[in-house]
Amino acid sequence: MEKERDNRQLLNELLVELFNYILLLEERNLKKNGLKGLSINEVHIIEAIKKTETPSMSEVANRLMITPSTLSTSVNRLIQKGFVKSERSKEDRRVVLLSLTEKGQEAFRIHEEFHKKMINQIL
């Protein structure tokens, strides 16, 4: 029983280290590619907007498993930085639809390229 607990603790420590290392590498990659003003969380919001079929605030928040109000703060920052646009739905004015600007599309491309390279390195 003690050995199993030690193995679980070791695995947990390795996963946490790996996760933190990947985040560090991703941060460096963003800076290297001229995206110094973006946090990792903002990049993941950009990714969620791109990968959500109808990217409303609530759909993107659901995808990220956060509340719409939490998302709203970050989206407003991304709008100010020029990565995201928002507009009210023509069908339902309560719904706010999100989309990426050209700058946001480029950030997504850089993020995707980083993940492809990382997977290729692992394989």
Side-chain angles (χ1 to χ4, degrees):
M1 194 66 152
E2 185 69 27
K3 184 159 175 77
E4 182 181 330
R5 193 171 63 88
D6 289 345
N7 286 340
R8 287 176 176 272
Q9 185 175 353
L10 177 61
L11 181 58
N12 181 61
E13 289 170 10
L14 289 171
L15 288 173
V16 168
E17 275 187 48
L18 179 62
F19 178 77
N20 288 333
Y21 184 65
I22 289 170
L23 288 179
L24 177 67
L25 290 177
E26 192 163 8
E27 235 171 56
R28 287 180 182 168
N29 183 62
L30 291 173
K31 287 178 184 172
K32 185 181 101 180
N33 285 289
L35 298 174
K36 292 180 184 142
L38 277 180
S39 71
I40 296 299
N41 285 340
E42 289 171 332
V43 171
H44 289 145
I45 291 168
I46 288 170
E47 177 183 39
I49 292 169
K50 178 71 175 179
K51 291 184 173 181
T52 301
E53 193 172 324
T54 308
S56 67
M57 287 289 283
S58 57
E59 288 296 318
V60 173
N62 284 340
R63 184 182 192 106
L64 293 167
M65 293 181 272
I66 59 175
T67 65
S69 60
T70 300
L71 177 63
S72 182
T73 303
S74 296
V75 164
N76 287 337
R77 229 174 311 151
L78 286 167
I79 290 169
Q80 287 175 340
K81 292 178 182 182
F83 291 95
V84 172
K85 295 183 286 190
S86 71
E87 64 178 307
R88 297 252 174 223
S89 166
K90 290 171 180 52
E91 293 81 38
D92 184 346
R93 303 288 299 154
R94 297 170 296 173
V95 175
V96 176
L97 298 172
L98 302 173
S99 61
L100 300 180
T101 62
E102 280 187 41
K103 195 173 172 182
Q105 294 281 359
E106 179 64 9
F108 175 77
R109 188 195 62 71
I110 290 167
H111 176 69
E112 283 292 288
E113 191 61 34
F114 169 79
H115 279 268
K116 285 179 188 172
K117 286 179 182 175
M118 180 178 63
I119 296 302
N120 288 339
Q121 289 289 327
I122 291 169
L123 295 174

